[in-house]
Amino acid sequence: MNCPRCKTELRAIELPEFDAEKVHMCDRCEGAWYSHDSLTAVATADFHEVESSELEPGLEPDKLDLVELDDPVACPECDKKMARFSYSLSPSTLLDECPEHGVWLDDGELGVILDQMALRNARNRREQNDIEDMREKMGLDAIADGSPYNPFAITLRFINNLFDKRRRHGHL
Ligand SMILES: [Zn+2]
Ligand SMILES: [Zn+2]
């Protein structure tokens, strides 16, 4: 199987630490070919774990001068032109996907994905903490689930903010 960008033969990497299927790496332009499952496994792994794995070269975009990013790429498995889509957490990052076989990541795109995942997790944790604080303040231990997606918790947060605002403006 050859690199869809620079045609170098891809090298298979085993990643038992992520419970992932093999990833095929281009040692020249540092792009990599992931099955959907292996990408999910790697993208949800810890950044430092990925950094100390064989995938490390794909984290920093230092080989992009070797490839033409605007050119369409073909799936390395079936040679069909891949679909380009923007990564939901970082819309300026364009990924190439064969719906049947997997996703091609150019050099550095893995780093963007892991950064964005870490940011999202941190945001979720912060929101979780805010809700915990609020529950404490209002003495609402009775709320069983403090998840930010719990509509009840969101309503309470809204009401609490409203009270804060009115208090500041001297209405309460
Ligand atoms: Zn390549
Ligand atoms: Zn394919």
Side-chain angles (χ1 to χ4, degrees):
M1 203 155 56
N2 293 333
C3 171
R5 288 268 185 228
C6 74
K7 308 302 170 209
T8 305
E9 190 170 341
L10 297 176
R11 180 171 60 90
I13 301 176
E14 309 265 358
L15 296 164
E17 64 270 52
F18 306 126
D19 200 18
E21 295 164 21
K22 275 180 212 163
V23 170
H24 292 81
M25 178 108 196
C26 176
D27 289 324
R28 184 165 176 272
C29 73
E30 298 182 346
W33 175 241
Y34 295 79
S35 69
H36 291 97
D37 284 350
S38 59
L39 185 56
T40 304
V42 171
T44 50
D46 184 70
F47 188 93
H48 299 291
E49 268 180 324
V50 179
E51 207 177 20
S52 53
S53 79
E54 280 194 83
L55 296 170
E56 191 272 336
L59 291 173
E60 285 291 325
D62 52 354
K63 293 286 166 67
L64 289 179
D65 51 332
L66 297 175
V67 295
E68 191 41 76
L69 289 176
D70 293 334
D71 287 350
V73 269
C75 170
E77 293 188 42
C78 69
D79 210 32
K80 278 189 205 140
K81 191 182 150 192
M82 289 199 272
R84 192 157 274 191
F85 68 100
S86 63
Y87 173 51
S88 57
L89 296 178
S90 166
S92 60
T93 307
L94 297 174
L95 308 178
D96 298 284
E97 181 193 30
C98 170
E100 211 173 317
H101 297 113
V103 181
W104 174 258
L105 297 190
D106 289 304
D107 193 21
E109 287 179 339
L110 178 61
V112 173
I113 290 177
L114 288 168
D115 277 352
Q116 294 300 319
M117 290 289 273
L119 278 176
R120 190 182 66 170
N121 291 341
R123 249 197 320 267
N124 286 349
R125 265 198 306 277
R126 261 200 313 276
E127 244 174 75
Q128 185 74 39
N129 289 340
D130 286 352
I131 286 169
E132 293 299 325
D133 287 353
M134 188 193 77
R135 284 167 67 178
E136 228 163 83
K137 249 191 262 162
M138 297 182 79
L140 290 169
D141 297 331
I143 304 173
D145 178 16
S147 144
Y149 304 108
N150 177 340
F152 185 46
I154 289 169
T155 308
L156 284 169
R157 187 169 38 169
F158 174 71
I159 292 170
N160 203 34
N161 285 341
L162 195 70
F163 279 163
D164 273 348
K165 221 180 265 170
R166 302 186 91 188
R167 214 172 281 133
R168 274 202 306 278
H169 289 96
H171 296 309
L172 283 178

